[in-house]
Amino acid sequence: MKCAALLALAICLVAVPLAAKDPVGRGVDAGSFGVYNGAKRVATETFSIEETSGGSMIKTDFKAGEGADASHQTSELEITSAGDLRRYEFHELAPGKAQATVVPSESFLMQRSTLNSTEKPEEHPYVLPASTSVLDDFVFVHRQVLAWRYLATACHKGQSGALECPKQKTQMGVVIPRGRASMLVGVTLTGREKVMVHGQERELNRLTLTGDQGEWQLWMDDNFRVVRMFIPDQNTEVVRD
């Protein structure tokens, strides 16, 4: 299998099967995550990851609540074949109206945000390279994309064919457009662990993400697709449907 794009490199590395090629691109992953606070489902994120001729496209649709309490947000993340940011865009559709784009501009990233279509965009620069990953609020699949980038750049297959990753944390720079912030995230593959998912015990690969916003625990299947996430500080669980 030819691995031109960064996500394709991670896919080849961990042997994730790909869907058949279609006229637009090649499907890598698609589905939804349920977001739970305790036992109550509070939100759903629907997502798709597609390998294109020039890189990859990640799309999400996040919905929470109902009626006057409804929250709705969409996002599109386009990265190059090297994994660098080409363009990121999110739209808040409810309860308010807002949108923002982040694109590379010379040696930094430029964010342009508006609260409604009539306002002049507000600019917010980040002195960060295009290789910085996007890890936005309310976009859970970005954690999987960051994990794949970690697997592709920090890990390798040993002579036995087993995946070998650094024992120490690998620091990765990320930008959080909704919060207009950036930080370093430490990523560690901590091994295999038995966890309960939808009432069944499964043995999964565990990764830990740590940063200024606390700790995220990720459990991934043997194809390195995220099955479950847990945010201890918020008692929030994210589970693939």
Side-chain angles (χ1 to χ4, degrees):
M1 183 188 299
K2 184 178 180 181
C3 297
L6 178 77
L7 292 189
L9 174 60
I11 290 159
C12 285
L13 178 64
V14 299
V16 175
L18 292 176
K21 187 174 179 64
D22 61 39
V24 176
R26 185 162 57 178
V28 175
D29 193 10
S32 62
F33 289 119
V35 184
Y36 296 83
N37 193 319
K40 182 180 179 181
R41 184 166 183 150
V42 295
T44 299
E45 175 184 89
T46 304
F47 66 88
S48 65
I49 304 175
E50 185 178 87
E51 182 188 351
T52 66
S53 59
S56 299
M57 176 69 77
I58 300 93
K59 298 181 180 181
T60 70
D61 190 305
F62 173 87
K63 294 180 179 179
E66 296 180 354
D69 297 325
S71 177
H72 187 192
Q73 172 187 306
T74 63
S75 76
E76 291 189 1
L77 170 62
E78 186 178 1
I79 59 177
T80 69
S81 58
D84 291 348
L85 175 65
R86 180 172 286 146
R87 180 181 177 86
Y88 175 66
E89 184 170 349
F90 80 78
H91 293 264
E92 181 183 327
L93 306 176
K97 300 291 184 181
Q99 64 181 33
T101 60
V102 183
V103 295
S105 179
E106 298 179 350
S107 60
F108 57 95
L109 304 179
M110 177 59 73
Q111 177 171 332
R112 293 180 174 87
S113 307
T114 57
L115 292 178
N116 58 62
S117 59
T118 62
E119 287 191 349
K120 181 180 179 180
E122 179 181 338
E123 295 189 342
H124 181 83
Y126 302 92
V127 187
L128 296 169
S131 57
T132 304
S133 296
V134 175
L135 200 68
D136 212 357
D137 293 332
F138 306 110
V139 187
F140 297 97
V141 78
H142 283 177
R143 277 74 188 168
Q144 176 169 296
V145 176
L146 182 68
W148 283 359
R149 184 164 192 169
Y150 164 76
L151 294 172
T153 58
C155 307
H156 66 278
K157 280 192 174 180
Q159 292 183 349
S160 65
L163 190 64
E164 297 180 0
C165 299
K167 293 183 180 180
Q168 68 276 17
K169 291 181 183 178
T170 297
Q171 299 289 341
M172 305 182 73
V174 304
V175 63
I176 308 162
R178 280 188 64 94
R180 298 185 183 181
S182 62
M183 65 180 179
L184 286 175
V185 173
V187 187
T188 311
L189 179 65
T190 57
R192 294 180 68 80
E193 189 173 279
K194 291 183 179 180
V195 294
M196 297 297 293
V197 180
H198 294 304
Q200 295 184 340
E201 185 178 74
R202 298 183 61 178
E203 186 174 356
L204 301 168
N205 302 287
R206 176 175 167 176
L207 283 85
T208 302
L209 310 182
T210 55
D212 294 343
Q213 295 183 338
E215 179 179 286
W216 285 63
Q217 300 167 4
L218 276 60
W219 288 268
M220 310 180 82
D221 63 18
D222 289 338
N223 289 327
F224 283 85
R225 291 188 171 113
V226 169
V227 174
R228 178 177 182 257
M229 308 182 209
F230 184 60
I231 314 167
D233 292 345
Q234 302 176 25
N235 191 32
T236 298
E237 183 181 21
V238 182
V239 184
R240 183 182 289 251
D241 291 321

